[in-house]
């Protein structure tokens, strides 16, 4: 029901889908598309989501989910068992795992008049596989100039470590 992203396990070929606009769930499918399991429900507790907006699978088959409106990333095992969560990420939206194993996260700015906090969002955060912040790229003010973002929505990292950011603005 209005999925937001899909990722494939590099080990098993299982397909994971974040289902964030109509449901608050993650679905796991076989490589040929048969549903294996689903998890999640609306809420703010561990294993619950408000808007799972992106999913990535690391080399250890951990399922890493950007829970956008809860300002966090949750990490699960391959079958949906909650492992940990990483907080202090402002509206994580686009997310990918680079060839270095680090997680690159596009963070959105706030909704004007609702959760707009100066200096938050419109940036890319780089986390190590344990969720520790390594770096942030961007500027405290949003903008279209080099080094600034408005709404980083999609992100990719190539084999050279170059970071590509797609924005919705």
């Amino acid at each position: 029901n209005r999925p937001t992203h899909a990722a494939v396990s590099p080990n098993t070929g299982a397909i994971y889908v974040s289902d964030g606009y109509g449901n608050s769930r993650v679905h796991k499918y076989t490589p040929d598309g048969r549903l294996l399991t689903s998890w999640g429900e609306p809420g703010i507790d561990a294993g619950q989501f408000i808007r799972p907006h992106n999913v990535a699978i690391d080399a250890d088959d951990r399922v890493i989910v950007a829970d956008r409106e809860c300002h966090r990333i949750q990490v699960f095992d391959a079958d949906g068992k909650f492992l940990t969560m990483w907080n202090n990420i402002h509206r994580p939206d686009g997310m990918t795992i680079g060839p270095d194993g680090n997680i690159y996260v596009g963070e959105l700015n706030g909704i004007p008049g609702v959760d707009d906090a100066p200096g938050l969002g419109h940036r890319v955060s780089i986390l190590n596989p344990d969720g520790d912040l390594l770096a942030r790229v961007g500027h405290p003010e949003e903008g279209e100039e080099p080094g600034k973002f408005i709404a980083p929505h999609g992100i990719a990292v190539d084999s050279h470590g170059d970071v590509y950011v797609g924005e919705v603005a």
Side-chain angles (χ1 to χ4, degrees):
N1 187 6
R2 300 180 68 202
T4 51
H5 196 74
V8 177
S9 164
N11 300 315
T12 66
I15 303 163
Y16 294 83
V17 178
S18 55
D19 189 1
Y21 279 103
N23 293 312
S24 295
R25 299 178 65 75
V26 173
H27 308 289
K28 178 182 179 182
Y29 296 88
T30 63
D32 63 353
R34 184 175 46 86
L35 179 65
L36 292 173
T37 190
S38 299
W39 70 87
E41 63 184 10
I44 60 171
D45 291 331
Q48 297 178 327
F49 308 104
I50 292 183
R51 181 153 299 126
H53 204 277
N54 202 294
V55 60
I57 315 304
D58 71 9
D60 295 323
D61 257 5
R62 294 184 312 162
V63 182
I64 302 168
V65 182
D67 190 7
R68 188 172 85 182
E69 306 312 332
C70 284
H71 303 278
R72 66 186 180 188
I73 291 175
Q74 296 192 63
V75 182
F76 301 88
D77 73 10
D79 295 313
K81 178 184 173 197
F82 174 81
L83 299 174
T84 190
M85 76 176 68
W86 307 331
N87 295 301
N88 300 317
I89 301 166
H90 194 57
R91 298 184 74 212
D93 205 52
M95 182 177 64
T96 194
I97 299 172
D100 55 6
N102 291 325
I103 297 92
Y104 294 73
V105 183
E107 296 181 61
L108 292 181
N109 55 338
I111 300 168
V114 177
D115 66 349
D116 53 341
L120 291 178
H122 46 265
R123 63 188 178 198
V124 172
S125 291
I126 304 168
L127 310 172
N128 71 15
D130 293 324
D132 299 318
L133 180 66
L134 299 176
R136 284 207 161 109
V137 178
H139 189 276
E141 300 296 324
E142 70 179 13
E144 297 179 9
E145 301 88 359
K148 290 186 176 183
F149 298 105
I150 294 174
H153 213 79
I155 191 164
V157 182
D158 69 17
S159 61
H160 302 287
D162 297 324
V163 180
Y164 301 84
V165 179
E167 294 197 76
V168 175

